[in-house]
Structures are given as structure tokens and as C-alpha cells.
């Protein structure tokens, strides 16, 4: 049943989604600053530990149980591993690429979701949306090309982010009706934190650079905490936005993340996409908005689906 609040406070939902689009690029920018200071595994560990520390009390305050039905535990574990892999890939991407380029390439994820929905889940996807997928992929290639010339295969990290999070969303769709989003994220934070500990032991034992653990300076700890808090609060804002406004209203707003990331990258790193990458970003955004428009026309009689407004990272 559709929550009556989605009809009551759409402006609040839009404001919360705007907050998400503002905070996520700031968190990514901090992760980019951290990439040269601490191993990527340590950034991921603090990100999920902070998520657990924030969301467990929030779940309790809302009276929402952290118990996950036993039959869903394998899917929740898989979802957590995919989320860990996706965030790790994004942090790796930020080590090598400008912030706006990394975010724009990762936005190929909605197109991958459309294709997976058609060919894996058997969902109806018309020729117009398939055409938007093709244009979106072309736009993504235009963004990748100049970065590929500079950093080689590392330019493909955001593409890995898109594929990983597409499968992450498929798993989330399977369990969304049987779980509450905030307890689910709290449990994912706990699981990811626990999974990272043996990975650090393995990394230190065999000398895997990204999985080593170093004691950072105090200012680095502050940046690590800020990245974790921004990421967690941003996802909370996105989750709550869907209680107050329909997903069809909020989905197109996610593309604001790309110009905001461009501004943040320019202000902090003096980075701007070149002409070819800018053309690719414009194509990707235009194709994504068109796909959303067709999606709204195809499903306007259906209830809002939270998964269609899910974040990239």
C-alpha cells in the first residue's frame, strides 16, 4: 500500500533528495582526498563502521527491529558484499579520475538495470528505453575515452561500480518487501565491519596494499569520520525522501549529482571535464532523463518503487 505521506509532503521529499545529491559528491571528494593518505580498505572499513554506529541507534529509536528473517540472511550477506565491492571500486576510481568523470561514468548503472530487468527478470522494456540505453552507453564511452588515454584500465573502475550496483539493486529488489531500509543498512554496516577484519589480517599477512591497516594522523581520522558520516546521512536522506514524494518525482533529481560533482571537483581539485567528456556527460544525462520519462509513462498506474530512485554510491 502506498504511504499516505507520499502525497502529503512532496516538497520535503524533494528537499531530502536534493540534500542527498549535495552530500554524496562531498563524501566522494573527501574519499578522493583520503586516497593518497590511507589504504582504500581502511576508508571502506570506517565508512561501514560509521554506518553501523549511526543507524543502529536510529533503528532502535524508531522501534524497528534489527532481526533479519533467516531465509533472507544469504541475500542480505550477498547484498552487503556487493555494496562493499561497489564502494571499494568507487573509491579506487576516485584515486585516478576527476570526480565529475567518475560520477558520470557510474551513472550508466540505470541503463544496466534496464537491460538486466529485461533479460534477467523478464520485465517489459520498450524500444525507446533500449535506445536511451544505447545513447547512454555512447555517452559513457565518451567520458571514459580521455581518462583511458591518461590512466589506462583504471578508467574502467566507475564502469565496475555501475555493474556491481546494478546487481546490488537486483538483490535489494528481492528483499525490499520483507525488510525495513534503515535496519537493513544498519545490519549491512555490522556485517561489512565484521567481514573487513579478517580481510585486514589477510592483507597484512600477504602484503596486499589496499588491505593494509595504518594508524593515520588525527586530521586523517577526522576526514575518515566525515566521509562515513556524509555517506550514511546522505543515504538516510534518500531513504526518507521516498516516504514523502513518489519515486517517479525523485528519480530525475538524482542526475543533479553530476553537475554538483563537477562544481565540487572544480572547487576542491581544480578539475573540469574536457570537451569530449562534457559531451559524454550531456548525452548520459539526456538519455537517463528520457529513460525516466518513458518509465513514468509505462508505470504511472503502478505504485512508487523505491528501487528506481536508489543511489549510485
Amino acid at each position: 500500500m502506498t504511504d499516505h505521506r507520499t502525497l502529503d509532503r512532496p516538497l520535503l521529499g524533494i528537499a531530502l533528495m536534493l540534500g542527498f545529491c549535495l552530500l554524496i559528491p562531498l563524501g566522494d571528494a573527501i574519499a578522493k582526498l583520503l586516497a593518497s593518505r590511507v589504504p582504500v580498505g581502511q576508508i571502506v572499513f570506517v565508512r561501514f563502521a560509521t554506518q553501523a554506529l549511526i543507524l543502529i541507534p536510529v533503528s532502535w529509536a524508531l522501534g524497528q527491529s534489527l532481526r533479519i528473517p533467516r531465509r533472507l540472511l544469504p541475500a542480505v550477506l550477498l547484498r552487503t558484499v556487493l555494496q562493499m565491492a561497489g564502494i571499494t571500486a568507487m573509491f579506487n576510481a576516485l584515486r585516478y579520475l576527476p570526480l565529475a568523470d567518475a560520477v558520470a561514468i557510474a551513472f550508466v548503472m540505470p541503463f544496466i538495470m534496464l537491460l538486466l530487468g529485461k533479460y534477467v527478470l523478464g520485465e517489459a522494456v520498450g524500444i525507446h528505453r533500449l535506445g536511451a540505453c544505447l545513447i547512454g552507453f555512447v555517452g559513457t564511452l565518451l567520458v571514459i575515452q580521455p581518462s583511458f588515454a591518461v590512466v589506462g584500465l583504471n578508467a574502467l573502475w566507475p564502469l565496475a561500480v555501475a555493474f556491481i550496483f546494478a546487481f546490488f539493486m537486483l538483490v535489494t529488489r528481492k528483499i525490499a518487501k520483507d525488510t525495513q531500509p534503515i535496519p537493513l543498512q544498519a545490519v549491512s554496516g555490522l556485517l561489512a565491519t565484521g567481514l573487513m577484519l579478517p580481510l585486514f589480517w589477510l592483507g597484512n599477512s600477504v602484503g596486499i596494499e589496499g588491505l593494509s591497516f595504518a594508524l593515520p594522523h588525527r586530521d586523517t581520522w577526522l576526514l575518515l569520520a566525515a566521509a562515513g558520516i556524509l555517506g550514511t546521512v546522505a543515504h538516510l536522506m534518500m531513504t526518507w525522501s521516498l516516504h514523502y514524494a513518489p519515486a517517479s518525482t525523485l528519480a530525475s533529481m538524482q542526475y543533479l549529482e553530476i553537475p554538483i560533482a563537477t562544481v565540487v571537483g572544480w572547487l576542491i581539485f581544480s578539475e573540469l571535464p574536457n570537451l569530449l567528456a562534457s559531451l559524454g556527460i550531456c548525452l548520459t544525462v539526456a538519455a537517463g532523463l528520457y529513460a525516466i520519462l518513458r518509465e513514468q509513462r509505462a508505470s504511472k498506474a503502478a505504485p512508487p518503487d523505491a528501487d528506481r530512485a536508489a543511489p549510485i554510491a
Side-chain angles (χ1 to χ4, degrees):
M1 179 178 295
T2 303
D3 193 330
H4 71 278
R5 290 173 297 174
T6 60
L7 303 177
D8 291 342
R9 308 183 73 180
L11 290 179
L12 177 58
I14 290 171
L16 287 167
M17 181 58 77
L18 180 59
F20 166 80
C21 292
L22 287 168
L23 293 184
I24 282 293
L26 289 175
D28 287 341
I30 293 175
K32 187 174 177 66
L33 289 171
L34 286 167
S36 61
R37 302 189 186 191
V38 293
V40 66
Q42 198 163 339
I43 306 174
V44 175
F45 174 79
V46 174
R47 165 69 177 79
F48 280 101
T50 304
Q51 177 175 307
L53 288 171
I54 292 175
L55 294 187
I56 289 174
V58 170
S59 297
W60 288 338
L62 295 175
Q64 297 177 348
S65 172
L66 296 176
R67 289 178 61 87
I68 301 293
R70 182 174 298 179
R71 62 185 174 82
L72 296 179
L73 285 177
V76 171
L77 180 60
L78 174 60
R79 179 184 182 275
T80 299
V81 171
L82 288 170
Q83 188 178 18
M84 291 170 63
I87 290 177
T88 300
M90 188 63 183
F91 289 166
N92 273 321
L94 293 169
R95 295 178 61 190
Y96 300 103
L97 300 180
L99 180 61
D101 289 10
V103 171
I105 295 168
F107 260 87
V108 77
M109 191 270 279
F111 306 122
I112 297 171
M113 281 296 300
L114 276 179
L115 296 176
L116 289 176
K118 178 177 176 61
Y119 294 109
V120 176
L121 300 181
E123 297 175 351
V125 178
I127 188 66
H128 294 280
R129 281 184 285 170
L130 288 175
C133 287
L134 177 61
I135 294 173
F137 277 118
V138 170
T140 301
L141 291 175
L142 291 177
V143 181
I144 290 174
Q145 191 277 332
S147 298
F148 192 86
V150 176
V151 300
L153 291 175
N154 287 309
L156 300 181
W157 277 114
L159 203 55
V161 174
F163 276 96
I164 292 168
F165 271 105
F167 285 101
F168 167 83
M169 289 312 305
L170 284 180
V171 177
T172 300
R173 282 187 180 186
K174 293 294 185 182
I175 63 177
K177 293 181 180 179
D178 299 307
T179 57
Q180 292 286 339
I182 294 176
L184 178 61
Q185 285 293 88
V187 170
S188 292
L190 276 176
L191 286 173
T193 302
L195 288 171
M196 289 298 299
L197 294 176
L199 289 177
F200 283 131
W201 175 83
L202 177 65
N204 285 321
S205 299
V206 302
I208 302 174
E209 180 182 355
L211 289 176
S212 59
F213 196 95
L215 190 63
H217 296 293
R218 184 176 62 180
D219 59 338
T220 302
W221 273 117
L222 292 175
L223 287 175
L224 284 166
I229 291 170
L230 285 171
T232 302
V233 172
H235 281 80
L236 269 179
M237 295 178 79
M238 184 279 301
T239 300
W240 281 331
S241 73
L242 293 163
H243 285 282
Y244 299 107
S248 58
T249 300
L250 300 173
S252 59
M253 288 190 63
Q254 282 188 259
Y255 282 89
L256 289 173
E257 188 180 334
I258 297 177
I260 291 171
T262 302
V263 172
V264 171
W266 174 60
L267 291 175
I268 297 179
F269 305 105
S270 300
E271 298 172 342
L272 283 175
N274 63 19
L275 183 60
L276 192 61
S278 298
L279 175 61
I281 289 172
C282 291
L283 279 176
T284 301
V285 171
L289 293 177
Y290 181 75
I292 289 169
L293 177 63
R294 298 298 303 188
E295 181 93 0
Q296 290 173 352
R297 290 181 179 179
S299 60
K300 59 183 178 181
D305 183 353
D307 295 327
R308 288 177 186 152
I312 296 298

